[in-house]
Amino acid sequence: MNESTLDASVAAELQDLVISSSDVNSFLAELCELSAVSLSDALCQEVSCAVTLNRHHRTTTAAWSNPQARLFDEIQHSFGEGPCLHAMTTGTTVLVRDTRTDTRWPEYGLAIATQGQLSVLGVPLTLDAGAAAALNVFAPAADVFDASAIQKAELFASHAEKALRLAVRIGVRQQLAEDLRSAMESRTAIDLAAGIIMGQNRCSQAEAMAILTKASSGRNQKLRDVAEKLVGSLAAEGHATHFDH
């Protein structure tokens, strides 16, 4: 498939997603899954994708290709810096060839390497209504994103921007605001729950997020629901009870 054919194919797939998706979050989730499958095929190894959203100077993980991708993205948020956040704020693609040796964000690199992710690619998405985003791609091997893979990820991001603007034009603007507001509320509960676990277990934010995610998976409940239950039980009892994960 030549470059122009690939470009047209990606555009058509993403526009189909806009039409078939019930809301913006659903579209972004499908975008993550489509990007992960396509890039995994291109690289001959499985990669994970997530989308980070920023609105009114607050960030959240809005969508992910699998639960692990959400954890990988949340780890970056806990540090408040990293390749994907940098891509989103600067509007430039950021490549980390080896998280164990990259000197730009050493603490984040160590945390994500501990999770078995040695390559990270952050591709910016420019959105309407004062929002910005980034497509984040994680791979378990070092230095896997070659020029072709980076170009393909940027192609997805470029067409995703156009597809999102199309979604807004056909009446999804209010839904976008509601989705982002809901995501920010989720983020607050998750941050509070992570803080509780950090205090109880004397662990780092990354370790606390891993505990929460494990509990979410084990109980087959959304991460937000687990976090809200923990925060709610603490508020009701008026004292800390150890979180059972």
Side-chain angles (χ1 to χ4, degrees):
M1 184 180 293
N2 61 41
E3 183 175 341
S4 61
T5 303
L6 174 62
D7 188 271
S9 174
V10 170
E13 285 184 278
L14 290 175
Q15 288 176 10
D16 285 344
L17 289 184
V18 171
I19 295 170
S20 62
S21 299
S22 59
D23 53 44
V24 172
N25 275 4
S26 297
F27 169 79
L28 291 175
E30 294 285 352
L31 169 65
C32 287
E33 293 177 11
L34 180 63
S35 300
V37 170
S38 180
L39 291 171
S40 294
D41 288 344
L43 295 169
C44 297
Q45 66 174 284
E46 186 174 356
V47 303
S48 302
C49 295
V51 169
T52 293
L53 274 174
N54 176 275
R55 186 172 172 82
H56 302 311
H57 307 292
R58 297 186 65 187
T59 59
T60 183
T61 303
W64 48 90
S65 60
N66 55 46
Q68 291 76 25
R70 181 175 189 173
L71 171 61
F72 303 152
D73 207 48
E74 294 283 0
I75 288 173
Q76 185 164 186
H77 295 168
S78 72
F79 285 99
E81 62 178 6
C84 304
L85 294 177
H86 189 74
M88 184 173 63
T89 56
T90 63
T92 58
T93 297
V94 178
L95 171 64
V96 175
R97 297 183 181 277
D98 192 331
T99 56
R100 298 166 299 183
T101 58
D102 191 278
T103 59
R104 289 170 292 182
W105 307 283
E107 293 182 353
Y108 162 75
L110 178 61
I112 202 72
T114 301
Q115 295 294 324
Q117 304 304 297
L118 302 185
S119 295
V120 182
L121 181 67
V123 184
L125 288 150
T126 302
L127 306 182
D128 293 330
L135 174 65
N136 313 319
V137 190
F138 306 92
D143 202 16
V144 301
F145 297 117
D146 58 16
S148 177
I150 294 172
Q151 182 182 31
K152 195 165 191 177
E154 290 177 334
L155 179 62
F156 270 101
S158 173
H159 284 297
E161 292 174 358
K162 297 174 184 177
L164 281 169
R165 285 194 285 271
L166 173 62
V168 169
R169 286 197 296 270
I170 62 175
V172 189
R173 182 178 296 274
Q174 183 58 41
Q175 185 63 55
L176 172 62
E178 293 173 0
D179 289 341
L180 290 174
R181 184 163 53 249
S182 176
M184 297 311 166
E185 292 171 356
S186 296
R187 180 75 217 155
T188 299
I190 292 168
D191 280 341
L192 288 172
I196 292 169
I197 294 172
M198 288 170 65
Q200 292 176 343
N201 294 273
R202 299 180 182 276
C203 62
S204 67
Q205 283 183 296
E207 291 169 333
M209 283 304 308
I211 291 172
L212 267 178
T213 302
K214 181 180 178 182
S216 172
S217 177
R219 300 176 187 181
N220 195 27
Q221 295 178 337
K222 293 181 179 179
L223 188 63
R224 174 183 176 177
D225 293 340
V226 173
E228 288 180 341
K229 184 177 180 180
L230 172 60
V231 174
S233 64
L234 182 65
E237 295 173 10
H239 63 279
T241 57
H242 193 76
F243 181 57
D244 181 13
H245 55 86

